[in-house]
């Protein structure tokens, strides 16, 4: 047990926990917000390309995670298409930092929120909103007091599922993270390293 505690509470391991839990939490929060907006747009509005956007949401499910990780690392690397522009305009480096981990987790977590919220939105009866409006409620009040309470359990479920997926994500993250010990090394990678070293 003492050896186990030494390995689990090592400074390198603690740094990986901070990165993995922190990045997963930030990504899940971003996904909860934007996933709700995407689901709302797909259910409530009819616009050109809606079916294509709906299909693209599932792309992270279809792609191997390593492919998305390599693509993200290529695009956001210091010499990549977006990496160069972010560096020039804002002085931000995404690849090989904690921010790259968050970006990868946002990409793989968004479908979980959208697909959790979408069916609940479809089942929400529009007549309830119309009744609230006929009773004098503004759009903001209708959203906060009528729609949001019915959507909150689904949104929280999507958040939790995206968070859990982010904690265990390996393939898409290791390529963009840089895997520098105590800086950009995620816990799943550290577990693999420890297993290989027994």
């Amino acid at each position: 047990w003492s050896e186990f505690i030494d390995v689990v509470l090592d400074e390198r391991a603690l740094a990986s926990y901070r990165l993995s839990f922190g990045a997963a939490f930030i990504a899940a929060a971003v996904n909860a917000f934007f996933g709700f907006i995407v689901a709302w747009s797909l259910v409530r509005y009819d616009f050109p390309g809606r079916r294509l956007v709906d299909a693209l949401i599932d792309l992270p499910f279809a792609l191997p995670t390593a492919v998305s990780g390599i693509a993200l690392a290529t695009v956001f690397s210091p010499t990549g298409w977006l990496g160069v522009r972010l560096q020039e305009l804002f002085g931000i480096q995404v690849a090989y930092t904690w921010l790259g981990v968050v970006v990868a987790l946002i990409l793989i977590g968004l479908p979980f929120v959208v697909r959790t919220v979408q069916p609940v939105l479809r089942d929400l009866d529009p007549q309830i909103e119309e009744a609230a409006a006929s009773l004098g409620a503004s759009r903001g009040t209708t959203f906060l007091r009528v729609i949001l309470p019915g959507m909150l359990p689904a949104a929280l479920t999507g958040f939790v599922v995206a968070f859990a997926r982010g904690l265990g994500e390996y393939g898409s993250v290791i390529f963009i993270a840089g895997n520098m010990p105590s800086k950009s090394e995620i816990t799943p990678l550290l577990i693999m390293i420890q297993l290989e070293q027994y």
Side-chain angles (χ1 to χ4, degrees), residues 28 109 112-113 116 156-166:
F112 291 99
V113 177
T116 304
L156 287 175
T157 301
F159 170 84
V160 169
V161 173
F163 177 73
R165 173 65 193 264

Side-chain angles (χ1 to χ4, degrees), residues 71-96:
L72 286 172
T74 302
V75 169
F76 285 106
S77 74
T79 58
W81 180 67
L82 281 176
V84 169
R85 282 158 184 77
L86 288 173
Q87 189 72 37
E88 287 174 356
L89 296 175
F90 305 109
I92 297 172
Q93 181 178 345
V94 175
Y96 319 125

Side-chain angles (χ1 to χ4, degrees), residues 56-117:
L56 287 175
I57 294 296
D58 291 330
L59 193 60
F61 289 146
L63 280 177
T65 56
V67 171
S68 59
I70 291 169
L72 286 172
T74 302
V75 169
F76 285 106
S77 74
T79 58
W81 180 67
L82 281 176
V84 169
R85 282 158 184 77
L86 288 173
Q87 189 72 37
E88 287 174 356
L89 296 175
F90 305 109
I92 297 172
Q93 181 178 345
V94 175
Y96 319 125
T97 65
W98 68 270
L99 190 55
V101 176
V102 172
V103 168
L105 296 182
I106 288 171
L107 175 74
I108 61 104
L110 184 67
F112 291 99
V113 177
V114 173
R115 296 305 181 220
T116 304
V117 170

Side-chain angles (χ1 to χ4, degrees), residues 170-183:
Y170 180 81
S172 65
V173 176
I174 59 168
F175 293 102
I176 196 169
N179 309 318
M180 291 177 280
S182 299
K183 290 185 180 177

